[in-house]
Each structure stands twice: as structure tokens, then as C-alpha cells.
Amino acid sequence: MEQHKGPLSSDEEETQTSSKKRRIEHNGSQEAVNGLSQWGTKKSPRLSPALFCDDCEIQHIQLHRFLKYAVIGKKSSAPQASWCSIHHQKRLRGVVVIVLEDLAQHHFYQFYSHFRFFRRLFRHRFSLPPSRSDFIASLLGLNGVNVQAQKKKVDDDRTQAPTSDDPILQRYGTDRQDLTRYLLTEEEMMKNDYPFVGSLNTENYVHTMCTAKPTDSSPLYGLDCEMCLTAKGNELTRVAVVDARGQCIMDELVKPHNPIINYLTSFSGITKKMLHRVKTTLKDVQDRLKSLLPPDAILVGHSLNFDLRALQMIHPHVIDTSVLFARKYDKKFRLKFLAQEILKREIQRPDAVGHNPLEDATAALHLAQYIIEHGPQKVADIELERIFLNGSDVQKTPDITKVNGILHPLPSEGPGFLEELEKGGQKIVYVSRDALTDPVPLSQFQTLLCSSDDEVLEKACGAIPLSPINIVKFQPRSKFSKWPIDANGKVASKFAELMTVFAGPFKDGVNPKSVKMHFESCGPIHSLTTISDTCQPYLCVRFCVPEAAQLAVEHLNGSCVDGCHVKVQRMITRRTIDYQDRFKEMEEDPENENTIYVSGFTNPLTEETLHKQFHRFKEIKSIFVPRNPKSRHPAKYCYLKFHSPDAAAAAITHIQTHGGLRSMKAITSSHFHRWLQTAVTHVPLQTPSNQDVMPGEDLTEIIKDLDRKLHQLYECLVENTLCVALFPGNNSSDGSVPGFGLMGIKS
């Protein structure tokens, strides 16, 4: 089962994110009210992105699908993007994509203070993977590969041995394996938050009593559950089980024990009418499952840990297809994607009302049977990662040249983006200093070439009101292309310093564990080291988020720690001297509006903990619980987004005076949090010298000029125009740095 966290009300216009939700999010109908006040009229277009989460990196193909729907709408079955809904798309007056070549995500953070108009105009922001050389082609849904080059790659693939870096081959080898080889180990079950005897919050769980040792002839059962949102959290509303032949042996609707807040119909398929006469309880389902499953039964599902927790049951022998087909770094594919690419089967259709658990249980079962029957090599040959990243599947067949020209349209999405525009007699206006090249079809563009970025701005302002879709590319490359690839690391070093404090003096023999306990109340600690070359011992505490360092200075300075009254102070260097101004700007950023940071929990956060702690706050819009980047367990801190500033301020006051927790206005947005976890946590803390000048400090005026140009361009847009600004990032032989995106609708 794929985990879905839904809104607090019955407003079901919220979108589902592209990958497994690694957060707890409750969005209320107030968002619709906010949308009305923001856009003025009921039918003005507005965006509902799902970016307040860990998974806020948007792939290029996802961005393409978003732009395609924005331009075409529901024509030719173009679906809404899974990560952002556009409400009242027909009211959009146009789409403008602004590409800032050679800029990357870390530039936004380094020059944050100088992107004044960017920050004010675009409150929706997201991370992008590093750009390929054909960035414009990727926005249009083209894979940008010449057919002859692709054909040569096919021939090379046939003569070369399979790559050993495929995660499936690394886990299971190339040969076919016995069934039991694919069972989750105890360590994997713990890592993926499966319930087991003695694990957290499982005191009332029921064991299936399937304790016999599984063999290669043990029976497989596919299982999937759907849930709704109740006053206590997610509760079971439907469970489906299929046997090894894919035959349904159980399909039950379940009446939750607590009052239902939201049926999550768009995800679960459950409605109030369906449950009206249902009497089956969770205990009834548990008893029936215990009687159905033989002692050596093996359960198969997609992220089955969520299903077992919904059932409140413990089962020791499982095959989890989200782990079985996991990508690098334990990232996971959606069940819909795996079914489409491996089984050639479409599930979770956009025109269906919610998910069908029988369909999902059968798909997971058949995926497990596929790898058991055909072996890991057959799965590796499909190249799931390539298909996922490219967003299209150029089959390895001799008739590859039959693909239309040099373009490879997306599968199963009706006519392509450019084809639809051509049918409507529309062209894309492209304004840049560089001409377009293959694989982009030049006949479908009205290209306006310029000699400078000033001319790009002038021509764009004149052309944009006349065209429904425009791509405007600014190129400060003469300056930024000379910036070394390690600039991302140097920017990360600045934030590492911003998250570092010094505490002391302590007595000789200070106990670091005792000190760590005090400082962990402020937030996650990256490292704690003793400074011994001072008159008395001091400790250097480096946190993982800026809020933790700020709280440590505010609340622990002058406190008694390990028997000593200590000073807690920041590292002040030329790179951090303006930290107060920087933090103030980040607090007041529209993206962090009405959002607070809460720390001081003793255990990883669960839904039960969150409900118990925050149920009194009636104006919570959503909750973001980060995951530990290594263990993937929920963190011991969270971010709460409220509907109003008064509610957020009242929550901070209440939290600080009750319950022993710490809280402050949020500084860290979700995309910034993601970048910090990947970039900053791996940066060694260094003592900067007088010569340690941040790369690009002489580029401030260029950034300011870009910001002004964007503001002038924005002023030329007509009302209800969708504007997307993109920093492509960089992917070269020297390394890669992620890109960045901002978007909004002019009102």
C-alpha cells in the first residue's frame, strides 16, 4: 500500500506527491478560502502544490507534465501533475518559463538577500535534479537523444556485460534466486518501520501466528489496504487479499473505531455511502486473516509496513516490492510505475475514483512472481532508473529508427506536447541569445535571437502578451560558467557555520553525552567535539538545522549544563556576520509564512505523538516531519504550518510554556531542508581565514540585475499568467549540483 496523508476536511482537491509520502500532512478546506482571497474571484486559476515534505525534488519529466497540463489542459487526456494541481486551468492566460542558465540551487541560498523580487513573487519552490545538456528538450518531454546515437547505444548494450551498479543486481546477483531470498530480513524490516514483537507502539498489535519457517514452496498472498482519516489518525477502511493465482479470497470494508474526518476518496475510493451499513470491525478482520493464512504464509505488498500498521498486525515473512525494486540510495518507485514498466499493466488510472486494493494487491503479487520466475537480470535489463529519469522508453529493438524522427514522446499520455500545440496552430516563443538545436523541432518555435540579456528582456516583454507559451532564457554564463564545481560545497560550508555554536567553559572531564542531551532539546545534532586547546574545555556543537542553533543561543546561554554555567555563542566569521539579518529575512519569507519549528521530543515522531501533542491546535494546516537521511526513521522535530499568523504565534507561546518543548518561527523551507541534509551534513567544518572569500562575491551585482530583469518581465505579464523560473543546475564530469525552481500565477 502506498501511504497517503490527507486533508483535515473533505476538500479533495489536494494533490498526491510523486513518491511515497514520507511525512504527515493534514490540509484543511481553508486552503480553498485562502485561494479565493489570493486570486480575487472564485474561478481564478490557482496552484495547490504538495511541496511541504521531504520529497520536494521534482524530476524534469514531472515538470514537463505540469507545463503540458498548464498549456493543454484536459485535451488528449493530459493528466494533472501528481505533485501540483492547477485549479481552473482554463482561466490561465498563458505560460512563461524563465531559464537562468548556469545558476543552481545553491545560488538561490547564497544570494538569498539579493533575490528580492524572486522571493516576493514566487512562494512555491522546489528542487530539481542536475540539468542535462538538453534542458529545454527535457521541459518539452523530449529525451534529446539522436536516433543514430541511441541505436549505437543499443548495439553497445547488447555486446557489453550488464552494469554491476544496478541496485537489484547488487542485492540479488544476476542469477535466478529462490523465493526465500527475496524475503525481508529482520534488519530490513526494522529499517522500513515494520511492526514486530517489541517494537514501538505495537503493544496492542495482533500476531498472525504464521510462525512456521517459510520454504521455496510456501504460498504467496498479495495484500493491500486503504485508510481514511479519523480523529485519531489513519484507520483501516478496506482490506483486500489475493492468493498466488491472483484470485480474491478477501475483500472487506471496515468501520473505523473513531469518527471519520476525511474519507480520502480520491486516494482510497471510500465514500460515506459505502461505509453507511458496514458493521465489520478491525478485530473481525484480524480474526479472519488469522484463520485464512497458513502457518508458512508469505505476504506480498508495496510498502506493506503501512498495511500491517493499519491492520495492527505483526507478520514475520514478507516480500515488499517497494524494497525489492528499490532505486539507489533506497529511493523507491511507485507501484503504478512498476506495474506499467514491468507488467505492462495500467493501474490507478486517473479516471478511476481512488485506488482499488484488489488491483494493487494483485499487481504487487505479480511483480514478486516476475522476479522470482525471470530473475534479477531480466529486471535490470528493463533499466527502470533510466526510464524513470528520462520519462520515456526507447525500446531496445532493431526498429528503433521507426520512432518519429528524432523525438521520443512520453508513453501512454496521448499526443505529445508539441503535437497538440501544432494541431492548435500554436507556436512556442523562444527568446534567447542562443539558437535552439536538435532534438528540438525548430518549425514549432518562433525564435527571437538577441545579442544581450538586455535585448532578451526587451523582446520578451513585447512578445509575451501575444503568445500562450513562452520560454525566455537569460545567460549570465560569461561569469557563472567560470565558477568551479565545488562552489556548492563552499556555500554549504557557510551554512554549516551558521548552524554551529560554542559552549563553555566546562570543567575538565566534561561528559559529552550529558551535554548532548541538553542541546538535543533544540534540534538534531550533526556533531559534538571537544576543544581542548583553550584555558578550560569548550564544546563545538554543530546542528543539522538553523533553528536548532538559534534556539541553543536563545535558551541555553547562561544555563547550567553538566554542573557548569556556560555561555553559548555563535561562530562569527566574515561569512556569518550577517546571520541575524539573514534569519530575519528567512522567517519573513512568504514560503515560511505561518510556519513554526518544534523540537525537544524524546522519541521519533509518530501520528499518535503528534495527535496527542497538537490536537488542541485547531488551525493547523499541515505538518512536516522530516526523516533521518540515513535510517529514514521519523525525526524528533517537525514543522507546523498554520492558517494564520496569530495561530502560529499563539502555538509558539503555548509550546514554550507547556510540555517541555522548544519552538520558534521557521527558517527552513522543505527544499532548503532537503539541500541541507545532502549538502551541508557532508561538509567538514573549517576555520575560515582572511583569504577565504566566498566564490562569487563579485557577482552580487549580476544577481541583482537578474532580479530586476525578472521583475520587469513579470510586470509585462497579463493577469492569470503562470510563471515558472528555473535554475537548471549543472551535471558535468567534474560533478553535479542540483537545480531549483520557483513558480506562481500573476494576479
Side-chain angles (χ1 to χ4, degrees):
M1 141 128 211
E2 296 186 84
Q3 184 190 24
H4 303 295
K5 306 295 181 185
L8 281 174
S9 77
S10 58
D11 180 3
E12 296 185 4
E13 291 185 317
E14 282 303 309
T15 185
Q16 176 189 12
T17 54
S18 62
S19 59
K20 190 77 52 194
K21 294 280 179 42
R22 296 216 179 263
R23 80 207 190 273
I24 300 168
E25 181 172 56
H26 303 283
N27 294 324
S29 59
Q30 182 67 31
E31 179 173 351
V33 178
N34 291 345
L36 299 184
S37 62
Q38 181 180 0
W39 305 119
T41 63
K42 183 177 180 180
K43 292 192 176 181
S44 294
R46 61 185 176 86
L47 303 176
S48 288
L51 298 172
F52 192 60
C53 59
D54 257 346
D55 282 325
C56 55
E57 181 179 86
I58 305 304
Q59 301 296 322
H60 294 155
I61 188 60
Q62 293 176 290
L63 183 57
H64 156 74
R65 289 169 180 160
F66 171 75
L67 294 173
K68 178 180 177 180
Y69 184 82
V71 176
I72 299 174
K74 296 180 180 179
K75 297 177 184 177
S76 70
S77 302
Q80 282 266 26
S82 60
W83 59 280
C84 181
S85 290
I86 304 176
H87 302 293
H88 310 302
Q89 177 273 338
K90 290 182 179 180
R91 300 275 175 166
L92 282 178
R93 300 284 297 279
V95 177
V96 177
V97 179
I98 301 170
V99 179
L100 303 176
E101 190 163 287
D102 290 319
L103 293 189
Q105 185 171 11
H106 63 271
H107 291 121
F108 182 76
Y109 304 139
Q110 181 185 358
F111 298 106
Y112 181 86
S113 298
H114 306 300
F115 280 121
R116 297 186 184 278
F117 293 116
F118 271 80
R119 291 188 285 116
R120 181 169 62 84
L121 299 176
F122 303 116
R123 65 182 302 145
H124 304 306
R125 304 164 198 169
F126 50 89
S127 302
L128 284 170
S131 169
R132 302 175 300 180
S133 58
D134 52 351
F135 184 66
I136 300 297
S138 70
L139 296 181
L140 302 176
L142 314 176
N143 72 7
V145 180
N146 181 276
V147 170
Q148 295 302 318
Q150 180 66 35
K151 188 174 177 68
K152 181 178 184 302
K153 180 182 182 301
V154 171
D155 295 336
D156 291 343
D157 288 341
R158 288 175 176 163
T159 57
Q160 293 177 1
T163 56
S164 59
D165 62 347
D166 188 292
I168 293 178
L169 298 184
Q170 289 180 338
R171 285 195 299 270
Y172 305 113
T174 58
D175 299 332
R176 289 175 55 183
Q177 302 290 328
D178 295 330
L179 181 155
T180 52
R181 175 66 178 84
Y182 300 109
L183 295 176
L184 289 187
T185 64
E186 290 185 8
E187 181 182 353
E188 287 174 324
M189 293 184 77
M190 293 178 63
K191 181 179 180 181
N192 289 277
D193 197 30
Y194 271 81
F196 55 90
V197 177
S199 61
L200 187 66
N201 299 322
T202 58
E203 296 84 0
N204 299 318
Y205 279 33
V206 175
H207 203 291
T208 60
M209 303 310 293
C210 299
T211 54
K213 183 176 180 180
T215 66
D216 295 328
S217 59
S218 293
L220 298 177
Y221 294 88
L223 183 146
D224 188 70
C225 297
E226 300 299 339
M227 285 95 85
C228 68
L229 187 67
T230 72
K232 193 176 179 181
N234 281 345
E235 290 193 51
L236 182 72
T237 51
R238 186 177 177 185
V239 56
V241 182
V242 297
D243 62 18
R245 297 172 299 169
Q247 299 298 312
C248 174
I249 61 172
M250 181 178 180
D251 185 9
E252 290 281 356
L253 291 171
V254 185
K255 190 77 169 179
H257 180 70
N258 295 285
I260 296 174
I261 295 175
N262 193 301
Y263 288 87
L264 307 179
T265 305
S266 59
F267 303 132
S268 68
I270 303 297
T271 63
K272 181 178 181 179
K273 184 177 180 180
M274 291 173 65
L275 294 182
H276 180 59
R277 298 183 182 277
V278 173
K279 304 295 184 182
T280 305
T281 66
L282 176 62
K283 185 179 185 304
D284 295 332
V285 170
Q286 293 171 336
D287 291 341
R288 187 172 175 196
L289 276 173
K290 288 175 65 177
S291 65
L292 272 177
L293 299 177
D296 62 341
I298 296 173
L299 291 181
V300 181
H302 196 78
S303 292
L304 197 58
N305 54 311
F306 295 117
D307 302 284
L308 290 174
R309 288 196 176 275
L311 289 163
Q312 296 187 21
M313 298 190 78
I314 294 172
H315 186 82
H317 312 306
V318 301
I319 295 177
D320 187 334
T321 52
S322 74
V323 178
L324 193 63
F325 298 97
R327 303 164 59 195
K328 292 181 180 178
Y329 314 114
D330 293 329
K331 293 185 177 181
K332 297 174 181 178
F333 293 113
R334 292 180 59 195
L335 179 63
K336 177 180 175 69
F337 173 81
L338 293 173
Q340 177 176 308
E341 301 302 333
I342 297 176
L343 305 177
K344 306 304 178 187
R345 180 187 310 167
E346 186 174 7
I347 64 172
Q348 302 173 5
R349 293 175 59 87
D351 56 350
V353 181
H355 294 186
N356 183 336
L358 274 174
E359 182 182 63
D360 290 357
T362 305
L365 173 74
H366 288 169
L367 285 168
Q369 291 173 332
Y370 184 94
I371 195 171
I372 293 169
E373 179 181 351
H374 297 287
Q377 184 62 64
K378 182 88 170 180
V379 176
D381 289 342
I382 298 174
E383 295 187 348
L384 294 170
E385 186 77 10
R386 177 183 64 82
I387 296 171
F388 179 77
L389 294 178
N390 289 347
S392 58
D393 187 8
V394 183
Q395 297 293 338
K396 294 183 179 180
T397 55
D399 61 349
I400 187 172
T401 54
K402 292 182 181 179
V403 180
N404 182 23
I406 54 177
L407 308 179
H408 306 294
L410 296 168
S412 305
E413 292 197 5
F417 187 12
L418 297 178
E419 185 179 345
E420 279 293 335
L421 290 175
E422 188 175 24
K423 283 197 304 185
Q426 298 174 324
K427 288 192 175 185
I428 299 176
V429 170
Y430 178 73
V431 190
S432 174
R433 291 157 60 184
D434 279 351
L436 292 165
T437 58
D438 288 342
V440 177
L442 303 182
S443 62
Q444 291 181 246
F445 283 78
Q446 179 184 345
T447 303
L448 304 177
L449 291 180
C450 307
S451 59
S452 67
D453 279 353
D454 289 332
E455 189 179 355
V456 168
L457 174 64
E458 181 182 353
K459 287 189 175 181
C461 287
I464 281 176
L466 305 177
S467 176
I469 177 168
N470 312 264
I471 299 176
V472 181
K473 185 162 77 169
F474 293 104
Q475 298 164 282
R477 63 172 64 172
S478 59
K479 302 290 184 181
F480 284 90
S481 61
K482 299 177 182 178
W483 199 345
I485 200 70
D486 67 345
N488 185 57
K490 292 184 178 179
V491 176
S493 294
K494 172 176 180 174
F495 286 99
E497 293 173 7
L498 285 171
M499 296 187 294
T500 300
V501 300
F502 294 92
F506 291 96
K507 299 175 183 176
D508 290 333
V510 58
N511 184 355
K513 288 186 178 180
S514 175
V515 176
K516 186 177 181 181
M517 286 181 59
H518 279 82
F519 280 83
E520 276 185 329
S521 66
C522 300
I525 293 177
H526 174 274
S527 62
L528 189 149
T529 55
T530 303
I531 302 174
S532 56
D533 56 353
T534 50
C535 296
Q536 292 177 279
Y538 278 76
L539 289 178
C540 174
V541 185
R542 179 173 162 189
F543 291 97
C544 298
V545 292
E547 291 92 344
Q550 184 73 6
L551 286 173
V553 173
E554 291 178 359
H555 293 276
L556 298 183
N557 185 34
S559 64
C560 184
V561 180
D562 199 34
C564 301
H565 289 278
V566 299
K567 291 182 180 179
V568 179
Q569 50 197 331
R570 288 187 172 277
M571 170 187 282
I572 301 298
T573 68
R574 62 175 298 161
R575 300 196 298 203
T576 64
I577 195 169
D578 64 342
Y579 79 90
Q580 289 180 316
D581 295 333
R582 171 65 63 92
F583 283 179
K584 187 66 175 175
E585 286 181 324
M586 294 170 77
E587 279 184 1
E588 296 175 351
D589 193 298
E591 192 176 27
N592 291 330
E593 187 178 47
N594 307 335
T595 305
I596 69 173
Y597 166 84
V598 186
S599 66
F601 298 95
T602 55
N603 294 307
L605 293 175
T606 63
E607 285 192 25
E608 185 177 354
T609 304
L610 291 168
H611 177 76
K612 181 179 179 181
Q613 193 69 48
F614 302 129
H615 71 276
R616 62 178 61 84
F617 300 139
K618 304 303 181 184
E619 286 199 52
I620 290 181
K621 183 177 180 181
S622 54
I623 303 175
F624 168 33
V625 181
R627 294 260 173 176
N628 184 294
K630 293 182 179 179
S631 69
R632 301 307 300 164
H633 291 158
K636 299 178 184 179
Y637 61 99
C638 66
Y639 295 87
L640 308 181
K641 187 180 288 290
F642 289 83
H643 286 296
S644 68
D646 290 343
I652 291 176
T653 302
H654 185 277
I655 289 170
Q656 289 180 336
T657 55
H658 299 84
L661 301 178
R662 302 192 190 279
S663 183
M664 63 174 286
K665 281 187 175 181
I667 294 172
T668 309
S669 58
S670 53
H671 58 80
F672 185 42
H673 186 279
R674 180 187 176 91
W675 181 80
L676 288 175
Q677 297 301 306
T678 55
V680 178
T681 55
H682 299 97
V683 173
L685 193 63
Q686 300 174 346
T687 303
S689 63
N690 292 331
Q691 289 76 35
D692 189 11
V693 179
M694 280 290 295
E697 285 186 348
D698 57 332
L699 303 177
T700 299
E701 290 305 317
I702 295 176
I703 293 295
K704 289 181 177 179
D705 184 57
L706 277 176
D707 193 55
R708 285 191 293 267
K709 282 184 169 66
L710 180 125
H711 184 236
Q712 293 176 51
L713 183 57
Y714 192 86
E715 290 298 310
C716 293
L717 304 182
V718 296
E719 185 179 351
N720 293 340
T721 296
L722 171 66
C723 188
V724 182
L726 302 173
F727 298 28
N730 188 290
N731 193 1
S732 68
S733 57
D734 298 326
S736 62
V737 289
F740 191 60
L742 309 91
M743 62 183 182
I745 296 176
K746 183 177 180 180
S747 62

